[in-house]
Amino acid sequence: MNLPFLGEYSLNTLRGDILGGLTATVISMPIAVAFGVASGLGAIAGLYGAIAVGFFAAVFGGTNTQISKPTAPMTVAMAVIVTTYADTFGQAFAIVVIAGIFQILLGISRIGRYVAYTPRVVVSGFMSGIGLIIMTMHLLPLMGAEPSHGGALGTLAELPEAINSVNFQALAVGCLALAITILWPSKVGKFLPGPVVAIVVGTVISIFWLTDVPTVGQLPTGLPTIQAEFPSLSFILRSLEPALILALLGSVDSLITSLVADTLTGTRHKSNRELIGQGIGNIASGLIGGLPCSGSTSGTVTNIRAGGKTKVSGVLYALLMLGLLLGLGAFVEPIPLAALAAVLIKVGWGIIDWRIVSRIHRVNRVQVIVFLLTLCLTCFVSLIVAVAVGLIVASMAHAQTLEKFELDSVISVPILDQVFLGENVDASTVDPYSARVGLVSLKGIFSVASSSNLVEAIAKDIQDHEVVIFDFSETLYMDDSAAMVIDQLTEVAMQNNTTFIVACLHGAVEQSLTALDILRQIPDKHIVETMDEARKLARQILEPTNLAENQ
């Protein structure tokens, strides 16, 4: 079957999308409820957010397998907005709408595509940190205790007390569910995923035998209505800052999840379209009183692992979440939290990038540092801080590598007078060891990575010669930082009475030097098009009398 919206679509793909959407719904529902409560807006706000953003981001977004729902960073940010920036819930939801508008503007301005340059070790560290967080945070529900609202660190702090007061019935259900998810045959899992079987088995056992097990419990019901207030101009101005922060958090969270999805599926998402889809979803969520949401790593990975391959899985997930509000919640309410915890622990294990971890002893030391730093910051500080710091450190390491290659592409050599001036000049008048002309050839690409050391590498050679020729014939690209180095070198030449000749300027390099007015101190006649012209000009400068006699 060939559908314009989905491309080639088969029954196998449909089966995978149904299982992916169903599994993602079962896994995401209690989390959406929990985050709704944690935000201060109520459990139903979490469900409304998951429905609105889940649907619109799936339809209009740029990642086929993305599952969007309330996430920890967005929930924490919303809790701050509720307590600090908004006097009413309606104002809080208005800020969500404004954040969605910001996300659409980010997508339209095509900023999202830059996330594709995120280094693999940063994504791997983030993924592995998320996996460890998921596994850690669900240890308490696995033992029948209330989940911690303090993240991974809070869970670890409460773990000793949970062990002392463990609910053995919940632990038994959780361990059985965990065993099923781990041992379930992969061939059977294509048709009937292990997580679904684990939850069904755990639910049956908790209903008929081990009845002292905490369950999901009663869910709120009812269709949403418009909740956001029409804001005044003063409120809009006051809300721009929190709305922008919310938009940036959601955008980074979603795009990183998109990268994770790309890694697992071997596809490539469309970053700018994803931001637009997320923005539309958050506008809808804010209007109906829902939490702001973003792409969820755990939900997306669960969807992919269960077989989801297209946007249908995300749409189905949102419709199933809506069904919970319309009466299907009765089928979810008896699910044991321990069984859900077991499934999420297995999901967390699968999120860890074992391909990097298993090769950690063979990976470049700097890359290992970036990976471990990102992982630790993800676990113990913040997801956004982890990515920001990881990107900065990775960029610095990358710049250090580029510096070596760029400096190796610089050729700075003296040219003996008897070679440079040519056979027409009387050899007896030329010092055989004299080299009054220096040649500097910049080959390849030059950027901020090498700019700080270019002056040091070339300046001394300039001082040693009467004429220096800069050959740009093989210069492919030069950014502004490297271009400014040429300006510094012209000043060095002037201070040492060295004549500066520029040869073979072309294309983007010429445009860059001209735009920055780098060549303002060099006479026009000293800017030539070929090396032959540069040679002739240098001979005129060095030996004007001899040249006149020989021409």
Side-chain angles (χ1 to χ4, degrees):
M1 179 167 50
N2 193 334
L3 301 176
F5 182 66
L6 300 171
E8 292 294 335
Y9 201 79
S10 65
L11 290 176
N12 285 334
T13 305
L14 176 61
R15 180 166 53 245
D17 285 340
I18 292 174
L19 292 175
L22 176 61
T23 307
T25 302
V26 173
I27 298 301
S28 301
M29 181 274 304
I31 297 174
V33 171
F35 280 145
V37 174
S39 70
L41 295 172
I44 202 164
L47 291 176
Y48 285 166
I51 293 167
V53 185
F55 179 81
F56 287 105
V59 173
F60 297 104
T63 311
N64 286 342
T65 54
Q66 183 95 287
I67 296 294
S68 299
K69 65 178 183 178
T71 59
M74 299 291 276
T75 302
V76 171
M78 195 60 192
V80 173
I81 288 172
V82 170
T83 57
T84 306
Y85 293 95
D87 298 326
T88 64
F89 283 178
Q91 289 185 350
F93 294 131
I95 293 177
V96 176
V97 173
I98 297 172
I101 295 172
F102 274 132
Q103 285 185 301
I104 292 177
L105 294 176
L106 289 174
I108 293 174
S109 61
R110 305 184 68 80
I111 290 177
R113 62 192 175 95
Y114 292 109
V115 78
Y117 299 107
T118 305
R120 173 61 189 271
V121 287
V122 175
V123 178
S124 295
F126 176 82
M127 286 173 59
S128 301
I130 288 288
L132 290 175
I133 288 175
I134 291 174
M135 294 173 68
T136 302
M137 291 184 64
H138 290 89
L139 291 175
L140 297 182
L142 187 71
M143 295 183 289
E146 288 287 330
S148 173
H149 296 297
L153 289 177
T155 299
L156 292 175
E158 297 176 23
L159 197 57
E161 182 180 349
I163 294 175
N164 291 331
S165 57
V166 62
N167 181 330
F168 287 102
Q169 290 191 14
L171 183 61
V173 171
C175 288
L176 177 60
L178 183 59
I180 292 173
T181 58
I182 294 173
L183 302 176
W184 193 251
S186 57
K187 291 183 179 181
V188 180
K190 295 179 180 179
F191 308 97
L192 185 60
V196 173
V197 175
I199 290 173
V200 171
V201 171
T203 302
V204 171
I205 291 176
S206 66
I207 290 175
F208 294 103
W209 293 285
L210 305 178
T211 57
D212 187 22
V213 178
T215 61
V216 171
Q218 186 174 2
L219 293 176
T221 59
L223 288 173
T225 56
I226 299 297
Q227 297 289 327
E229 296 180 4
F230 188 80
S232 63
L233 179 60
S234 61
F235 174 77
I236 291 177
L237 295 176
R238 190 172 75 249
S239 64
L240 290 179
E241 179 185 348
L244 181 59
I245 292 174
L246 201 62
L248 291 175
L249 281 172
S251 299
V252 172
D253 214 1
S254 298
L255 293 179
I256 290 175
T257 300
S258 297
L259 284 178
V260 173
D262 289 349
T263 302
L264 296 176
T265 62
T267 59
R268 185 167 184 175
H269 71 281
K270 298 178 180 177
S271 301
N272 299 307
R273 182 182 295 180
E274 183 61 40
L275 292 185
I276 293 173
Q278 292 288 332
I280 294 172
N282 277 311
I283 290 174
S285 180
L287 288 174
I288 63 174
L291 276 185
C293 300
S294 64
S296 163
T297 304
S298 61
T300 301
V301 172
T302 300
N303 176 37
I304 294 170
R305 297 294 190 198
K309 293 181 180 179
T310 74
K311 293 175 177 290
V312 171
S313 60
V315 171
L316 180 61
Y317 148 79
L319 294 178
L320 288 173
M321 293 290 278
L322 177 62
L324 296 177
L325 293 178
L326 300 179
L328 297 180
F331 296 100
V332 178
E333 292 170 2
I335 294 177
L337 295 179
L340 289 175
V343 170
L344 286 172
I345 288 173
K346 178 59 169 61
V347 168
W349 180 269
I351 291 175
I352 296 174
D353 193 343
W354 294 107
R355 284 177 289 186
I356 288 288
V357 173
S358 62
R359 297 175 175 86
I360 199 74
H361 58 289
R362 298 180 179 177
V363 178
N364 178 280
R365 182 177 63 181
V366 175
Q367 302 298 311
V368 172
I369 292 173
V370 174
F371 172 81
L372 294 177
L373 181 63
T374 307
L375 186 150
C376 292
L377 289 174
T378 299
C379 290
F380 303 118
V381 181
S382 161
L383 308 181
I384 306 303
V385 169
V387 174
V389 173
L391 284 174
I392 292 171
V393 176
S395 298
M396 293 171 63
H398 182 61
Q400 186 179 33
T401 302
L402 285 181
E403 177 188 14
K404 179 180 182 301
F405 287 116
E406 291 178 10
L407 291 177
D408 286 346
S409 299
V410 178
I411 297 176
S412 180
V413 294
I415 305 177
L416 291 173
D417 285 0
Q418 62 181 6
V419 175
F420 183 78
L421 296 177
E423 54 188 29
N424 292 331
V425 178
D426 187 354
S428 63
T429 65
V430 179
D431 183 348
Y433 301 106
S434 175
R436 289 178 289 170
V437 177
L439 174 65
V440 177
S441 180
L442 301 171
K443 299 184 176 183
I445 295 174
F446 295 90
S447 66
V448 64
S450 61
S451 60
S452 60
N453 287 327
L454 276 174
V455 174
E456 182 181 349
I458 301 173
K460 188 176 186 304
D461 292 341
I462 292 177
Q463 298 170 13
D464 292 340
H465 301 296
E466 294 180 29
V467 177
V468 63
I469 301 173
F470 265 72
D471 177 14
F472 289 97
S473 61
E474 296 185 59
T475 309
L476 300 178
Y477 171 77
M478 181 173 286
D479 73 3
D480 291 350
S481 297
M484 293 303 296
V485 169
I486 306 301
D487 191 40
Q488 292 179 260
L489 293 175
T490 59
E491 294 179 2
V492 171
M494 293 179 63
Q495 292 170 3
N496 290 275
N497 297 318
T498 300
T499 303
F500 205 94
I501 298 176
V502 174
C504 307
L505 272 179
H506 63 281
V509 177
E510 183 177 10
Q511 292 175 9
S512 179
L513 295 179
T514 303
L516 294 172
D517 200 21
I518 300 298
L519 306 176
R520 67 188 182 283
Q521 300 184 74
I522 303 174
D524 291 341
K525 65 179 181 179
H526 288 183
I527 302 175
V528 298
E529 295 183 358
T530 67
M531 284 301 296
D532 287 339
E533 293 180 37
R535 180 187 294 271
K536 182 177 180 180
L537 177 61
R539 290 177 62 187
Q540 291 174 353
I541 294 169
L542 292 174
E543 302 290 340
T545 302
N546 290 344
L547 276 173
E549 294 175 352
N550 286 286
Q551 287 182 339

